[in-house]
Amino acid sequence: MGGGHIGGPGATSPSQRHTDFPLRVLVLSEMVGAIIGRQGATIRTITQQTRARVDVHRKDNAGSLEKAITVYGNPENCTNACKRILEVMQEEADNTNKGEVPLKILAHNNLIGRIIGKAGTTIKKIMDDTSTKITVSSINDINSFNLERIITIKGSIEDIAMAENMISARLRSSYESDLQAFAPQSAMFPGLHPMAMMSTVGFGLPRGSGAGGTTTGAGMGMYGSSPTSYPPLYPTPMPAQQGYHGSEAAEESAYLYIPNSAVGAIIGTKGSHIRNIIRFSGASVKIAPLEDEGRPTEQAERKVTIVGSPEAQWKAQFLIFEKLREEGYGVGVEDVRLTVEIVVPSSQVGRIIGKGGQNVRDLQRQTGSVIKLPQQGTTTSEDTTVHIVGPFFSVQSAQRRIRAIIQMSAPSSIGAASTGRPSRGPLMPRMHQ
């Protein structure tokens, strides 16, 4: 996670951790040394006394003024650990004449409205009950790669700890109700934790774009219509996460085709945008060079190879679709439509097509994407390329369902499906706008 972490005796195991809703706080980088202590002594004492697990993300965002700390554990333990961290920071501030130390809680944008309440009633009541002053950072400060809002609490350490406990309880219950509301959608995306879906819902996508052509897509529209409400993964958006079911999540390969004219936007100034995509998603993302460099070319598209877990695929592909949408590659009210290719074992093609093409017709109807693959028996190689065309949620749903079909029917073929080699067969026209 880009920093040290120390688990107390009551800390959760990695397999349990994705079910927790941790406390995330932002501290001044200059305070990190005091929080960790000499040879980790201070942070070790905090974890032992509070039975919470504390992750200090000190290697992330090198050179930044502030660093994130994530605290895992039950609510009481998280609050106690937070209180101890505040005490350490206040002591450090006193020694350096820095004055009062506020607590800065990082919170998912989609949960902020429920902290503030209608006309600010909820946050005002918390302030009144705890004798604290609480402010929330502007929605304008977030974007695709700066994903959380900051709740700043000022007051005495006792009062701040009380306010944190009340805010965290509300964040936790709001998150759990969101997760529950999202659960029915997971049937559209087998093999993917609902939290990964929640990681992209509501970020400026036109209402009506989505899986199956429904007006809400994969739960779209649940969270209000703010164009900048791109949530991170609710519990912890650290980029090194390797999936929600443990780090053993199988790597998959997918090939996304983007207009040649959009390559510069995806790469960004000096590679900044593609680096952010890689960092946030945890996937490997590589754009193929022009096929015929040095001479004028009619090549309309470039192949992007994405390798990573299901969750990494979701995030990387979303960010590419989203960038193209921002750059105006959708047509009118139509969302951006791209081709994604995945490679499946040729032995499974018949199962995907179904009797008389019934399965593939059902897949197209249910996901809203166009799916093309050769007739069964027409390919002689071990692998077959499946072409999927549509907007983001449609192609994601199709990918997940096709991979689930393969996984259920041929466990021994999973590796071939997820690490497939590029096809040398003829490719269809890939941009349908």
Side-chain angles (χ1 to χ4, degrees):
M1 280 217 184
H5 64 252
I6 299 179
T12 53
S13 70
S15 61
Q16 294 171 304
R17 199 172 309 127
H18 70 264
T19 61
D20 287 348
F21 185 87
L23 167 67
R24 281 177 51 74
V25 299
L26 207 54
V27 303
L28 287 170
S29 297
E30 63 199 56
M31 293 285 183
V32 169
I35 292 165
I36 293 172
R38 191 184 292 269
Q39 295 181 324
T42 306
I43 199 169
R44 195 175 301 113
T45 301
I46 292 171
T47 59
Q48 287 168 351
Q49 288 176 348
T50 64
R51 300 177 69 80
R53 171 194 164 99
V54 181
D55 284 8
V56 181
H57 310 295
R58 55 183 160 182
K59 291 181 183 172
D60 288 340
N61 305 323
S64 62
L65 292 173
E66 295 177 304
K67 301 289 186 189
I69 293 179
T70 307
V71 185
Y72 299 92
N74 68 37
E76 186 185 354
N77 294 352
C78 283
T79 296
N80 289 337
C82 176
K83 192 173 167 185
R84 289 288 296 114
I85 289 167
L86 275 171
E87 287 167 357
V88 170
M89 288 197 295
Q90 190 59 64
E91 190 178 335
E92 180 73 6
D94 291 344
N95 291 339
T96 53
N97 298 314
K98 288 272 169 44
E100 187 182 64
V101 174
L103 176 67
K104 293 185 175 183
I105 298 174
L106 290 166
H108 185 299
N109 182 58
N110 281 352
L111 303 176
I112 287 292
R114 284 164 282 185
I115 291 297
I116 294 171
K118 193 171 184 179
T121 51
T122 305
I123 202 165
K124 187 175 185 308
K125 184 173 189 322
I126 294 172
M127 284 195 274
D128 291 345
D129 290 349
T130 61
S131 304
T132 56
K133 178 173 172 51
I134 305 172
T135 55
V136 178
S137 65
S138 167
I139 192 169
N140 297 325
D141 294 341
I142 68 168
N143 57 48
S144 301
F145 303 112
N146 173 27
L147 304 166
E148 295 163 298
R149 303 272 289 279
I150 301 167
I151 303 168
T152 302
I153 311 172
K154 293 181 178 177
S156 71
I157 289 177
E158 287 290 337
D159 291 340
I160 290 175
M162 205 187 314
E164 176 277 317
N165 192 274
M166 293 169 77
I167 287 169
S168 290
R170 185 164 283 271
L171 288 173
R172 192 177 291 105
S173 66
S174 299
Y175 160 71
E176 285 168 358
S177 65
D178 285 359
L179 196 58
Q180 199 169 10
F182 232 104
Q185 300 292 344
S186 59
M188 287 296 290
F189 306 94
L192 190 73
H193 194 282
M195 279 191 284
M197 287 176 258
M198 290 162 73
S199 72
T200 50
V201 165
F203 184 54
L205 288 163
R207 299 297 171 256
S209 71
T214 63
T215 54
T216 56
M220 294 286 295
M222 279 177 59
Y223 299 106
S225 57
S226 164
T228 49
S229 59
Y230 176 4
L233 308 179
Y234 281 34
T236 169
M238 299 314 298
Q241 288 289 101
Q242 291 293 312
Y244 298 93
H245 307 293
S247 58
E248 298 78 26
E251 285 210 325
E252 301 171 347
S253 291
Y255 309 98
L256 182 62
Y257 289 83
I258 62 173
N260 202 32
S261 56
V263 170
I266 296 296
I267 292 172
T269 308
K270 296 182 180 176
S272 58
H273 194 77
I274 197 166
R275 272 200 307 275
N276 278 335
I277 292 173
I278 292 165
R279 181 182 176 275
F280 175 68
S281 69
S284 161
V285 181
K286 292 177 182 171
I287 301 176
L290 278 168
E291 288 171 4
D292 199 4
E293 286 192 271
R295 291 211 305 268
T297 177
E298 295 294 314
Q299 187 179 340
E301 292 177 321
R302 295 274 277 280
K303 182 177 187 174
V304 182
T305 301
I306 304 169
V307 182
S309 68
E311 286 76 16
Q313 286 286 352
W314 177 282
K315 287 181 278 182
Q317 291 183 37
F318 172 80
L319 289 169
I320 292 169
F321 270 86
E322 175 58 21
K323 186 62 176 172
L324 290 178
R325 192 187 66 79
E326 282 176 13
E327 297 290 323
Y329 282 90
V331 177
V333 296
E334 280 288 303
D335 200 5
V336 173
R337 296 168 65 84
L338 298 175
T339 292
V340 177
E341 294 176 349
I342 61 173
V343 178
V344 302
S346 296
S347 59
Q348 297 298 315
V349 169
R351 198 176 291 269
I352 295 165
I353 295 172
K355 191 172 182 180
Q358 187 61 48
N359 286 0
V360 79
R361 280 198 300 274
D362 286 347
L363 277 170
Q364 291 186 116
R365 179 177 53 79
Q366 290 160 355
T367 66
S369 58
V370 175
I371 301 169
K372 297 193 178 182
L373 65 173
Q375 287 295 318
Q376 186 181 9
T378 59
T379 49
T380 53
S381 63
E382 286 181 25
D383 298 329
T384 296
T385 300
V386 182
H387 311 274
I388 307 164
V389 185
F392 173 74
F393 284 105
S394 296
V395 296
Q396 277 296 329
S397 182
Q399 285 176 72
R400 297 263 57 85
R401 285 173 173 234
I402 291 168
R403 293 193 193 276
I405 289 168
I406 294 163
Q407 197 161 355
M408 283 190 300
S409 60
S412 61
S413 302
I414 294 170
S418 39
T419 59
R421 295 175 288 283
S423 165
R424 292 183 176 81
L427 301 178
M428 56 184 273
R430 295 192 183 84
M431 276 296 287
H432 289 239
Q433 293 190 339

